[in-house]
Structures are given as structure tokens and as C-alpha cells.
């Protein structure tokens, strides 16, 4: 039986139009749940099958490593299904596991192995491993191919050292995290230290520029890059070296970019340079057998704090496209058919997002039935809210055997909101997972072993060296290490150059000399071996030879056993990485760990998921609880007086709503504990923008019985008649007709001549005269 000659027949008309596009630029405006990954996957397959494009000439950029892995797996399956029909006339699923594996192996060797698919960071790291030695920055700094990729804790350590030790600055005025954030933003805008100082011509700007300079010196001295440099340095290299730019331009004939609304200016410049060889897109004439295909949705742009700029997507038609109206353009396609959510959920999302002005007009169209109405619940406080949410989860799980704990997600604006829900889930013995933070790779023992491995690959990495030279303890004290480090600094060489030299170590280290030389000999041995031996073998060798495993075993505690299991899991991860990627090298494995994210590690499991709305991007769940919709919390206070920020908060709410497949619950509280005290809360303005006919209001009285030992919630506030002016005091709670619930923070004057400073949720501080303004005291 021959393969289906029209393998695109299962696509809808808009998907098919985007997939069949061959040359030139195309913007695909892909609404939530509209099958954009399917379009990307089939486009790559169509380029290879129909247009005979070589896989190595295709570059596809994804937002996460997990998305890259999913895309490769989909492509591999698509080609394997065609091979199964062509070779034996059978569907792939009807073949034996052995035959399926053989077909997938053929596809891997001929197709997926050669595709360039990954995140901006991983793809740039891969190119820099080949070409970084040809780069020199404006200050003459250079890097070698075996550079390390510093994670956030490494970077913070360097920042603190520069600010406090080298420059003797007050770290309260120049907080390392704040300075790091400013430098990261500068890099994402393509600004070097001099450019940053020019853009911030004040004292603070000059100081941060100086820190930036010293920070780059430290990175170069350690032969290390941070995440931002992976992209920025590649862009700078392509700017300064026409031959290298031309090489990579000729390498990548077809560029595909997912989540285009989340790109920053440096990433945009990289794509533009690779697509047009540095020529302005509107002047570029070489679109024959070449394309740039970007997929995104301005309505889902929520990462401005990471320097993402959704106007890059908004300007695609002006920069690359034909600039014609939506109905006439040939350089834009809209994917509006939604395959995820019910009609009720989509109508709610559509009406909310229509309140934004900065967007490309589109409407999510349902392909499913109306579904359940959206439940909107008002709780007395955050404990009441958590009680309601968990009770709904329990009831739904008990009433519907097909529903598992993994079908539920609780989405909130800030991480701090998770505590009440965690406490309640624990009380009812409901398993849950908090998504957020690189938990596995943040553990001390994992960072220790990774430091060993980074040092093996790149002995010039002094940060890693200093972390583990005495881990486990080898009798190498801080004074000895300071002496060696000072010598290296004076000589202008990496610390490694000192500790591997017998004479220098014996001169400087005294009784510690033997331990240091044995350590250096071990690192040198594995450094020599790392280019020929698999990463898993090196990990195993290091763990045994360094004494790290023996040290944990000798402690004999539960904590040490847990740490040992984590170290062993890292070894398992290296094996799994080699199997999945066909690259067993230490270099590739370390790159994957450095670029990992919590979304990459989110596996399907039967636990309730708790996460911030930012973490929920790209995910979907049958039943979603969108909690804490209160003015000042969501939208947050910072956005209330900033129109652009408020629109981003609304997009974040839109993202939360469109995560739900079958049922959506929205909740808010009348008051909430903030910074230790209870504060009155006003409903979010977003609630007023939702279609009332789709909402089913629920009363606090609907909350079922709470679990044992659970404290009762605070009673609802009840207004009392206005009191005399002299009766008011700090801490009194009151109700104002226009501003809602508030709390007295200051009392000015005395007797009958007083004014009150009152803090109101959502509107801030107001000074009122109780003699002329009606203020009702509340309990």
C-alpha cells in the first residue's frame, strides 16, 4: 500500500496555507490551542519531502528545550509513519516494537539528526563552539571553544565579588541582583559597557557600566559566558566577520521561529542577519529557495521583564512582509481554529483580550461544544479561597473516575500565593507539584558535580575550581587557596596554571601541596579523556576518584543518602541525554544542563500542578483554577498607572484562561494577608471585562465542610454607623463609598480637627477628613 500522496490532508485550510508556503517571509499569527506546533512540524516535513531541502539547511528555534524535543519526536514519527506505509503497507502502530525502532532509527540518521532544532541559547552555544575563537570584543577579550556556561548562582557570585570586594561599593545601594538585572537587560538590547554608560549618563549608570566591564573581564578570565552572552556575542561576531556571517547565511536556507512574540532585540537581529546576510529585509533580493517563517501571538506576550518585545512581531509586516491589509496580504496567515478549549472558555478569553489596543486582530474559534459555565467565586480571604479550590478538586476527582490529580492546575500571579493552597492540599493528602525554579540543578550536590565536570572540560574555569578543590575535604584551607589565587591574579593567569605546576604549588601551599597536586592530576587526566570518552563514563570516574561518593556514604545520614540519590540521578540524566540526542559527549551534556528550565522538567504525572501564570505558558490542563483576581494583585500595583503594563497583565490573564480545556474556575478574596497584616481587597478590573452570561457566581456559603483542625475563616466585614472624628485610630478599618475597604495608617491633628491617611487596595493612600467624608467603621 503506497504512502498517502497528500500527507497534508489532515491540516485545516489556514494550517495548510502556512505549511505549503515555500519561499520568502511569512508571519503565522497562531492563537492559543490552534495547532501551531503541528504547523511547524508539517512545514519542516514539507520542506524535506516536497521541496527536497536538505535537513541541515533548516534552522528551527523553539522557546524551551522541551518544545524542541517534542518537535523532533513529531517529525521523527511523521517520517516513520510514511516509511512504514512505503516499505510494508502497514501503519506504524501495527508494527512490532523492534520494527518501529528500526524505522525511527533510519529517520534519525537521515533526517532529525541533521536538523538544527533548539532554543536560541542552545543553537547559539552550538555555533560558538565552532567559531568563538574568531571573535574579539571591543576591549580585546577572547574566549576558547571549551568555554563554560555560567548559571545564575555563578553570575551572582561574580557580581557580589566585583561590587563588594573589588569596587568596595555599598551593596545596599548597588544590590548585586539589581545590577545583574540591569546588565542582562543591556545585553539583551545589544549594548556593551560603553553603550550602556552612554544610555545612562548618570552616576549610577557609570558605576553599573564599570561593574559590567569588570564582569566581562571576569567571564573572559574564566573562559566563560553567561546566558545573555551566548546570543549577544554571536551577533557581535556576525557583525564583525562578514565571512562567518556569509557561511551561516548559506548554511540556513529556511528559518523557523516559534513564540516570536517573546523574542528580544538581540534575537531579532540574529534572525534578520541569518535570513538576509545582514541586508535590510526590505532591500533583500535573495528569497529564491529561502524563507523566514515566524509563529507567534501578540496576545500571549508576557515576558517584557525578560526584555521580550512583542512589537517585533507587530512590526513583521513592515520589516519583512508586504504590509498589505490582513485580507489581502500574502505574508501573513492567521490560525484561529482552537482545538483545546470549550466555546464558553474561548468566548470569555476573546472578550477579555479585545480590551487591549496593541494587538493583531483575531478571534479564537471553537471546534468543541459550549461546555460548562465558568465558576466565579468570591472568598472571604486566601484561606477560604484555598478551601474552596481544594474542595472542588476533591469533589470532581471523586465524582468522575476518568479524572486524575494531574488534570488540575492552580494558577496564580505570584509564587507567594501558593502557600495557602499547599497547606490545604497537604491537609487532604492530595499529591501536588509546585512548578517554578530549577530545583534539581539548584541542589548543592548537583552543582558540586557539575563544577567538577565544567572544570574537566575547561580548566580555566576558576569559579568551578574554587568551588570544588576542597570538596570533599582535602585539607586545603582558605588561606592556602587565597595565596594561590593571589599569585594567579598577580601573574594574570587562570588559577589552574598555578595549581598544576609542581614548583609553584610546593612553594605556596606548604602541607597542602600533595593534596592540591593529586587533585590537579585527577582533573588533567579527565580533561585529556573528555574528548574521547562518553560523558557518563567521565561522571562515573570523577565521582569515584574524587571521593565524593565515598564521602556521602561515610556520613550515614538520611540527608546524605538523599544527596547520593541525586548524584546518581545526574549520572542517569547523562545516559538518558546521550540516548535521546545521539551525542554522548560531556560537552553536549553540560550544555543541556546549563540551558535546562523548569518547564523542560515538567513531566506528566498524577499530581495537582501549582504554578505562576508565567510558568503556565505553553501548557494546558482539563481543569484550571485561576485565583487571586484582585486589584493590586492581578493586575499588580505597578501596572495600574501604566497603560502598556496593564495590557501585559491582561495578556497574562488571557493566557491563564486559555490554559483550560474543559472547566475554568476564577476566584478572588475580600481580604488577604499581605506582609503580615490583613488588607481589604477589591475585585480585579479584569472580572468586569468578562462576559457575565458565561459566569456562574458562587457564594462563600457554598463552601463545604473544612478538614479537621482547620481554623475557621474570618467573619465577613460588617459596616457600622459613622463615628466621631476623635474615635479614629491607626489600624482602624473602614468602608468608603468610592474607594471601598481601607485601613487607617496615620492620624493627623487632634480633637475634632483631624485628618486620616487611609490605605485602600487598588487605589493606594488617601488623606480624608472624617467630618466631611462618610467613613463607616468595619470589624
Amino acid at each position: 500500500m503506497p504512502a498517502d500522496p497528500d500527507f497534508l490532508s489532515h491540516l485545516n485550510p489556514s494550517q495548510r496555507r502556512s505549511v505549503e508556503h515555500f519561499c520568502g517571509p511569512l508571519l503565522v499569527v497562531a492563537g492559543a490551542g490552534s495547532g501551531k506546533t503541528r504547523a511547524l512540524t508539517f512545514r519542516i516535513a514539507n520542506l524535506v519531502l516536497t521541496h527536497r531541502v536538505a535537513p541541515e539547511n533548516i534552522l528551527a528555534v523553539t522557546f524551551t528545550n522541551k518544545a524542541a524535543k517534542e518537535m523532533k519526536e513529531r517529525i521523527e514519527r511523521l517520517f516513520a509513519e510514511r516509511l512504514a506505509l512505503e516499505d510494508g503497507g502497514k501503519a506504524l502502530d501495527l508494527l512490532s516494537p523492534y520494527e518501529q525502532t528500526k524505522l525511527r532509527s533510519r529517520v534519525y540518521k537521515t533526517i532529525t539528526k541533521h536538523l538544527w532544532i533548539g532554543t536560541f541559547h542552545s543553537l547559539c552555544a552550538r555555533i560558538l563552539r565552532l567559531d568563538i575563537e574568531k571573535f574579539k570584543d571591543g576591549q580585546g577579550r577572547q574566549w576558547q571553544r571549551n568555554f563554560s556556561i555560567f548559571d545564575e548562582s555563578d553570575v551572582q557570585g561574580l557580581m557580589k565579588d566585583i561590587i563588594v570586594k573589588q569596587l568596595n561599593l555599598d551593596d545596599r545601594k548597588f544590590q548585586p541582583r539589581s545590577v545583574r538585572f540591569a546588565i542582562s537587560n543591556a545585553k539583551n538590547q545589544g549594548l556593551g559597557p560603553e553603550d550602556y554608560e552612554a544610555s545612562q549618563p548618570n552616576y549610577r549608570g557609570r558605576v553599573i557600566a564599570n561593574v559590567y566591564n569588570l564582569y566581562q573581564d571576569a567571564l573572559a578570565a574564566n573562559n566563560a559566558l553567561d546566558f545573555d552572552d551566548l546570543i549577544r556575542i554571536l551577533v557581535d561576531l556576525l557583525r564583525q566577520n562578514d565571512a562567518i556571517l556569509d557561511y551561516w547565511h548559506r548554511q540556513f536556507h529556511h528559518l523557523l521561529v516559534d513564540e516570536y512574540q517573546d523574542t528580544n532585540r538581540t534575537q531579532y537581529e540574529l534572525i534578520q542577519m541569518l535570513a538576509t546576510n545582514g541586508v535590510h529585509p526590505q532591500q533583500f533580493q535573495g528569497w529564491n529557495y529561502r524563507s523566514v517563517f515566524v509563529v507567534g501571538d501578540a496576545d500571549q506576550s508576557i515576558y517584557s521583564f525578560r526584555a521580550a518585545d512583542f512589537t517585533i512581531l507587530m512590526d513583521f509586516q513592515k520589516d519583512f512582509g508586504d504590509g498589505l491589509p490582513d485580507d489581502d496580504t500574502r505574508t501573513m496567515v492567521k490560525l484561529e481554529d482552537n482545538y483545546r478549549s470549550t466555546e464558553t472558555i474561548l468566548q470569555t478569553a476573546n472578550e477579555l483580550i479585545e480590551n487591549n489596543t496593541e494587538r493583531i486582530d483575531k478571534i479564537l474559534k471553537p471546534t468543541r461544544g459550549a461546555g460548562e459555565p465558568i465558576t466565579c467565586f468570591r472568598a472571604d480571604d486566601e484561606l477560604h479561597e484555598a478551601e474552596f479550590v481544594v474542595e472542588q478538586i476533591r469533589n470532581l476527582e471523586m465524582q468522575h473516575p476518568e479524572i486524575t490529580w494531574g488534570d488540575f492546575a492552580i494558577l496564580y500571579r505570584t509564587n507567594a500565593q501558593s502557600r495557602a493552597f499547599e497547606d490545604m492540599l497537604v491537609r487532604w493528602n492530595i499529591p501536588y507539584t509546585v512548578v517554578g525554579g530549577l530545583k534539581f540543578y539548584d541542589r548543592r550536590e548537583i552543582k558540586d558535580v557539575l563544577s567538577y565536570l565544567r572544570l574537566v572540560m575547561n580548566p580555566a574555569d576558576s569559579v568551578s575550581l574554587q568551588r570544588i578543590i576542597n570538596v570533599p575535604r582535602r585539607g586545603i584551607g582558605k588561606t592556602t587557596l587565597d595565596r594561590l589565587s593571589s599569585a594567579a591574579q598577580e601573574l594574570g593567569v587562570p588559577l589552574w596554571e598555578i595549581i598544576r605546576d609542581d614548583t609553584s604549588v610546593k612553594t605556596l601551599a606548604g602541607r597542602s601541596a600533595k593534596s592540591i597536586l593529586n587533585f590537579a592530576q585527577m582533573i588533567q587526566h579527565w580533561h585529556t579523556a573528555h574528548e574521547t570518552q562518553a560523558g557518563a563514563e567521565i561522571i562515573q570516574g570523577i565521582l569515584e576518584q574524587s571521593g565524593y561518593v565515598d564521602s556521602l556514604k561515610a556520613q550515614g545520614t538520611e540527608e546524605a543518602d538523599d544527596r547520593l540519590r541525586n548524584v546518581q540521578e545526574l549520572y542517569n540524566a547523562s545516559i538518558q541525554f546521550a540516548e535521546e540526542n545521539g551525542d554522548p559527549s560531556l560537552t553536549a551534556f553540560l550544555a543541556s544542563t546549563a540551558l535546562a528550565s523548569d518547564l523542560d522538567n515538567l513531566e506528566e504525572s498524577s499530581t495537582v500542578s501549582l504554578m505562576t501564570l508565567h510558568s503556565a505558558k505553553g501548557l494546558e490542563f482539563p481543569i484550571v483554577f485561576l485565583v487571586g483576581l484582585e486589584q493590586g494583585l492581578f493586575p499588580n500595583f505597578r501596572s495600574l498607572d501604566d497603560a502598556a503594563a496593564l495590557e501585559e497583565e491582561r495578556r497574562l490573564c488571557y493566557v491563564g484562561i486559555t490554559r483550560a480545556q474543559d472547566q475554568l474556575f476564577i476566584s478572588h478574596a475580600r481580604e488577604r494577608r499581605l506582609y503580615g497584616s490583613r488588607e481589604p481587597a477589591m475585585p480585579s478590573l479584569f472580572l468586569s471585562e468578562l462576559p457575565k452570561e458565561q459566569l456562574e457566581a458562587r457564594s462563600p456559603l457554598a463552601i463545604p465542610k473544612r478538614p479537621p483542625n482547620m481554623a475557621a475563616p474570618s467573619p465577613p466585614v460588617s459596616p457600622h454607623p459613622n463615628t466621631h472624628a476623635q474615635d479614629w485610630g491607626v489600624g482602624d478599618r473602614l468602608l468608603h463609598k468610592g474607594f471601598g475597604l481601607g485601613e487607617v495608617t496615620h492620624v493627623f491633628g487632634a480633637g475634632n480637627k483631624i485628618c486620616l491617611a487611609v490605605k485602600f487596595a487598588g487605589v493606594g493612600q488617601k488623606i480624608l477628613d472624617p467630618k466631611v467624608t462618610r467613613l463607616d467603621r468595619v470589624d
Side-chain angles (χ1 to χ4, degrees), residues 302-305 385 410-418 421 610-616 625-630 632-639 645-646 648-653 656 667 672 686:
I302 58 174
Y303 294 113
S304 64
F305 65 95
E385 182 181 45
I410 303 172
L411 310 182
Y412 36 77
R413 180 63 181 83
T414 66
N415 274 309
Q417 290 171 257
S418 75
F421 298 100
L610 280 70
M611 68 188 79
T612 65
L613 285 150
H614 285 98
S615 296
F625 295 86
L626 184 55
V627 302
L629 265 83
E630 296 143 29
L633 180 59
F634 190 27
N636 65 27
F637 277 117
R638 291 186 301 277
S639 69
L646 185 60
E648 178 151 334
E649 289 287 296
R650 189 176 285 111
R651 292 194 293 268
L652 192 57
C653 188
S667 61
R672 187 173 295 272
F686 298 151

Side-chain angles (χ1 to χ4, degrees), residues 32 300 340-341 345-346 349 364 619 653-660:
Q300 298 185 72
R340 175 188 298 160
S341 306
I345 292 169
L346 295 183
L364 295 178
L619 304 177
C653 188
Y654 174 83
V655 166
I657 291 171
T658 55
R659 297 313 93 193

Side-chain angles (χ1 to χ4, degrees), residues 381-398:
D381 57 20
E382 74 276 8
L383 300 180
H384 232 157
E385 182 181 45
E387 189 174 28
F388 169 77
V389 168
V390 173
E391 191 63 30
Q392 302 311 304
I393 290 174
R394 292 179 64 241
N395 287 342
L396 287 167
E397 194 270 342
M398 286 188 292

Side-chain angles (χ1 to χ4, degrees), residues 48-258:
V48 175
L49 290 170
T50 304
H51 301 289
R52 304 302 177 191
V53 176
E56 58 267 25
N57 295 142
I58 298 173
L59 175 75
V61 185
T62 61
F63 191 63
T64 64
N65 292 314
K66 183 179 181 182
K69 180 182 176 183
E70 180 185 352
M71 188 178 293
K72 289 176 185 175
E73 288 174 346
R74 287 198 188 192
I75 293 169
E76 194 170 279
R77 180 173 181 85
L78 194 155
F79 278 95
E81 286 172 343
R82 290 182 61 81
L83 283 176
L85 292 172
E86 289 172 353
D87 291 356
K90 288 184 178 180
L92 181 67
D93 291 339
L94 297 179
L95 300 180
S96 69
Y98 173 73
E99 291 173 313
Q100 290 186 38
T101 301
K102 280 183 63 178
L103 285 180
R104 286 179 177 272
S105 178
R106 280 175 59 188
V107 174
Y108 170 75
K109 291 176 182 177
T110 57
I111 306 293
T112 51
K113 179 181 179 181
H114 305 286
L115 293 167
W116 287 67
I117 299 179
T119 63
F120 272 108
H121 293 99
S122 62
L123 293 168
C124 288
R126 185 176 170 186
I127 294 173
L128 288 174
R129 292 286 180 203
L130 300 172
D131 282 335
I132 197 169
E133 291 177 354
K134 303 181 184 77
F135 173 73
K136 182 183 292 187
D137 75 4
Q139 301 299 315
R141 304 181 188 96
Q142 291 181 281
W143 285 261
Q144 303 301 310
R145 292 182 182 182
N146 62 339
F147 59 82
S148 296
I149 302 173
F150 276 6
D151 65 16
E152 196 56 31
S153 65
D154 299 323
V155 169
Q156 289 295 341
L158 280 179
M159 284 290 169
K160 188 171 183 180
D161 182 77
I162 292 167
I163 291 168
V164 177
K165 294 183 179 179
Q166 293 189 44
L167 297 179
N168 197 29
L169 296 169
D170 185 346
D171 61 0
R172 291 169 297 181
K173 293 182 179 178
F174 294 94
Q175 296 179 348
R177 288 190 179 277
S178 176
V179 174
R180 157 64 176 154
F181 182 76
I183 292 173
S184 177
N185 268 346
K187 289 185 176 186
N188 285 322
Q189 295 174 53
L191 302 178
E194 300 82 6
D195 304 315
Y196 180 82
E197 186 172 359
S199 70
Q200 302 286 328
N202 50 42
Y203 172 68
R204 182 173 180 83
R206 292 195 300 273
V207 171
I208 292 177
N210 190 24
V211 174
Y212 188 175
N213 241 323
L214 293 172
Y215 172 59
Q216 292 304 112
D217 287 341
L219 287 175
N222 283 279
N223 189 32
L225 302 177
D226 63 19
F227 274 24
D228 303 317
D229 275 336
L230 290 172
I231 304 171
R232 185 182 72 94
I233 284 182
L234 178 56
V235 169
D236 286 347
L237 171 61
L238 297 180
R239 279 199 200 114
Q240 68 180 225
N241 194 314
D242 291 340
I244 294 176
L245 172 57
D246 184 65
Y247 173 86
W248 291 109
H249 169 71
R250 287 186 286 108
Q251 172 73 41
F252 302 128
H253 299 177
H254 298 275
L255 285 75
L256 299 87
V257 185
D258 193 10

Side-chain angles (χ1 to χ4, degrees), residues 276-287:
T276 67
N277 209 10
V279 178
H280 189 280
Q282 289 294 345
Q283 275 76 56
F284 183 63
Q285 300 297 317
W287 288 116

Side-chain angles (χ1 to χ4, degrees), residues 22-24 253-254 284-291:
F22 181 33
C23 293
H253 299 177
H254 298 275
F284 183 63
Q285 300 297 317
W287 288 116
N288 292 336
Y289 304 104
R290 175 175 293 280
S291 69

